[in-house]
Amino acid sequence: MIKINENYLKLQDSYLFSTIAKKVADFQAKNPDKKIIKLGIGDVTLPIAPKIIEAIHKATDEMAKKETFKGYGPEQGYDFLREKIVEWDYKKRGISIEKEEIFISDGAKCDTGNIQELFSTDNIIAITDPVYPVYLDSNVMAGRTGFFDKNTGKFEKVVYMPATAENNFEPELPKEKVDMLYLCFPNNPTGTVLNKEQLTKWVKYAKENGSIIFFDSAYEAYISEENVPHSIYEIEGAKEVAIEFRSFSKTAGFTGVRCAYAVVPKELKVGEVSLNALWNRRQCTKFNGVPYITQKAAEAVYTEEGQKQIKENIAYYMENARIIREGLEKSGYTVYGGKNAPYIWLKVPEGMTSWEFFDKLLEEKNIVGTPGSGFGPSGEGYFRLTAFGSRENTIEAINRIIK
Ligand code: MLT
């Protein structure tokens, strides 16, 4: 008889944001007259910038003509986009990346979930705790994580690196030797960042221990402070130990358009094996590239006008973040993040769990957030709100909480 991949049975029944969506839908069905404000999943609400829309229209017209129609594109992405990324995201910051090191994809979620396929299931992984659930779940599916202990909420073969108020959200380097390290900065969910000196320690650790860092910088466009690296490659030697993931989702409002990229440097090797070549092999086999129209849309991000327009949208969300942060602080909450990231991480009132706070906020204030424990055991006692709502809803949500 056919056997299933039993590792899937070790996962929680439902993905965090699906569980929340179901709870909210049930509540709305029972209370159809209530206006629910959703500050849960980090999904953008502003329309795509005009310069990008213009490029989408133009590319659509090209698809309508025999002379300019495009079928399959290169699995790695079109050169026109890869070259712009090299120029705008790296060269302008003094980082040298080659276009062959850039792999265009349909999302950082897919890339960060798929990358583990290149590595043996014997490797030990380390994740920060709390963490974006995809890193852990994709390793659970692959059978890398061992037995799940219900009492601790942890997997046997995973090294958890707590990032809480106690350590100022700077996770400690693992005491043991780990092989695959997941870092996300600006951090989802806590909204906190590491400065250059702090990130340097991780690169050094990876070099000394022969580990690889998966660096998710999907939120780099939200960094407002100096000395906060936008790319791990700002740290010397990082190209020998790190793969970086970037996304247009939060940078340019592409959550529904779908475009991202991974940087796999040529220097990055395990023994004699080039990870760039391996990822290329994987993508060519399992992926047929991002639509031409989407890549043309992404290309428009890298124009003066495109940059100006996306920065206006980012500034709008960061003003929401300020409103949430200051509003919550005034009402006596302890609040983190929201300065270099669109997430606000707050301490739930004493004596409540994250899920209890979620239910209370939904039932009494009709506001949706994300319970910290959904991101890992050390997220217990915390709660995440996103700054991606409309201004009107953000203000109303804060007013409801203050009341
Ligand atoms: C989140 O809310 O954490 C993000 O929207 C999830 C994602 O980017 O997939």
Side-chain angles (χ1 to χ4, degrees), residues 15-17 40-44 108-109 132-134 188-189 216 218-219 247 249-250 255 258 343 370 375 384 386 388:
Y15 184 61
L16 174 64
F17 293 108
I41 189 162
D43 194 4
V44 293
K109 183 181 194 172
Y132 178 45
V134 173
N188 178 14
D216 185 346
Y219 299 94
S247 170
S249 285
K250 315 296 157 74
T255 53
R258 311 303 311 145
Y343 295 124
T370 310
F375 296 101
R384 193 191 79 174
T386 98
F388 287 125

Side-chain angles (χ1 to χ4, degrees), residues 265-297:
K266 290 184 182 161
E267 287 94 325
L268 196 50
K269 294 207 166 120
V270 175
E272 287 306 302
V273 181
S274 152
L275 293 182
N276 179 285
L278 232 52
W279 185 243
N280 187 48
R281 184 70 181 82
R282 190 259 173 217
Q283 291 299 80
C284 291
T285 306
K286 294 196 176 182
F287 187 57
N288 252 339
V290 173
Y292 174 73
I293 299 172
T294 304
Q295 294 192 57
K296 275 291 174 188

Side-chain angles (χ1 to χ4, degrees), residues 18-31 36-38 358 362 367-369:
S18 316
T19 309
I20 292 173
K22 178 155 187 333
K23 268 180 170 267
V24 175
D26 289 348
F27 179 81
Q28 186 78 84
K30 284 188 204 130
N31 303 276
I36 299 178
I37 299 180
K38 295 180 184 167
F358 172 91
L362 177 61
I367 297 168
V368 183

Side-chain angles (χ1 to χ4, degrees), residues 205-278:
Y205 172 93
K207 282 196 159 184
E208 286 170 2
N209 290 279
S211 344
I212 182 160
I213 298 174
F214 304 125
F215 191 75
D216 185 346
S217 61
Y219 299 94
E220 64 77 32
Y222 289 80
I223 294 171
S224 65
E225 291 175 337
E226 293 291 317
N227 200 32
V228 177
H230 287 243
S231 163
I232 193 161
Y233 305 124
E234 287 177 44
I235 312 297
E236 213 188 305
K239 282 168 81 181
E240 289 149 44
V241 292
I243 294 179
E244 179 159 287
F245 303 95
R246 292 267 186 113
S247 170
F248 294 91
S249 285
K250 315 296 157 74
T251 306
F254 275 40
T255 53
V257 177
R258 311 303 311 145
C259 197
Y261 66 87
V263 185
V264 190
K266 290 184 182 161
E267 287 94 325
L268 196 50
K269 294 207 166 120
V270 175
E272 287 306 302
V273 181
S274 152
L275 293 182
N276 179 285
L278 232 52

Side-chain angles (χ1 to χ4, degrees), residues 9-267:
L9 305 181
K10 297 180 192 164
L11 295 165
Q12 280 166 349
D13 286 350
S14 143
Y15 184 61
L16 174 64
F17 293 108
S18 316
T19 309
I20 292 173
K22 178 155 187 333
K23 268 180 170 267
V24 175
D26 289 348
F27 179 81
Q28 186 78 84
K30 284 188 204 130
N31 303 276
D33 53 322
K34 300 255 197 261
K35 182 190 165 196
I36 299 178
I37 299 180
K38 295 180 184 167
L39 303 179
I41 189 162
D43 194 4
V44 293
T45 51
L46 289 173
I48 306 276
K51 184 72 186 168
I52 299 169
I53 292 294
E54 191 186 305
I56 294 176
H57 286 164
K58 195 158 166 271
T60 308
D61 288 341
E62 285 181 53
M63 291 303 245
K65 290 191 207 96
K66 196 160 183 279
E67 306 73 51
T68 45
F69 167 78
K70 303 274 184 304
Y72 290 129
E75 294 92 342
Q76 305 81 358
Y78 283 99
D79 277 356
F80 63 75
L81 180 56
R82 296 168 96 195
E83 280 161 9
K84 292 277 164 40
I85 290 169
V86 164
E87 186 67 28
W88 287 70
D89 286 348
Y90 294 101
K91 204 163 165 210
K92 279 181 191 283
R93 290 198 171 274
I95 302 165
S96 145
I97 294 286
E98 292 174 37
K99 81 167 187 289
E100 291 75 20
E101 297 175 314
I102 308 279
F103 293 84
I104 312 294
S105 78
D106 60 352
K109 183 181 194 172
C110 319
D111 285 344
T112 54
N114 291 331
I115 196 71
Q116 49 75 32
E117 278 183 37
L118 303 191
F119 303 92
S120 160
T121 47
D122 294 339
N123 288 320
I124 301 294
I125 69 154
I127 51 167
T128 56
D129 174 21
V131 75
Y132 178 45
V134 173
Y135 314 150
L136 179 64
D137 284 4
S138 54
N139 279 288
V140 174
M141 291 168 177
R144 195 175 280 112
T145 52
F147 155 84
F148 180 68
D149 182 342
K150 280 205 176 96
N151 295 322
T152 59
K154 294 183 178 177
F155 283 92
E156 178 196 8
K157 283 171 60 192
V158 176
V159 175
Y160 291 77
M161 305 178 290
T164 59
E166 282 67 43
N167 60 12
N168 237 337
F169 300 96
E170 182 188 357
E172 244 185 70
L173 291 165
K175 298 204 175 31
E176 55 281 81
K177 190 169 157 358
V178 302
D179 305 301
M180 298 156 60
L181 283 156
Y182 288 84
L183 296 180
C184 172
F185 288 101
N187 187 256
N188 178 14
T190 66
T192 56
V193 287
L194 292 186
N195 63 29
K196 220 162 180 173
E197 292 68 45
Q198 291 168 320
L199 192 54
T200 301
K201 291 187 213 160
W202 292 86
V203 171
K204 188 165 171 275
Y205 172 93
K207 282 196 159 184
E208 286 170 2
N209 290 279
S211 344
I212 182 160
I213 298 174
F214 304 125
F215 191 75
D216 185 346
S217 61
Y219 299 94
E220 64 77 32
Y222 289 80
I223 294 171
S224 65
E225 291 175 337
E226 293 291 317
N227 200 32
V228 177
H230 287 243
S231 163
I232 193 161
Y233 305 124
E234 287 177 44
I235 312 297
E236 213 188 305
K239 282 168 81 181
E240 289 149 44
V241 292
I243 294 179
E244 179 159 287
F245 303 95
R246 292 267 186 113
S247 170
F248 294 91
S249 285
K250 315 296 157 74
T251 306
F254 275 40
T255 53
V257 177
R258 311 303 311 145
C259 197
Y261 66 87
V263 185
V264 190
K266 290 184 182 161
E267 287 94 325

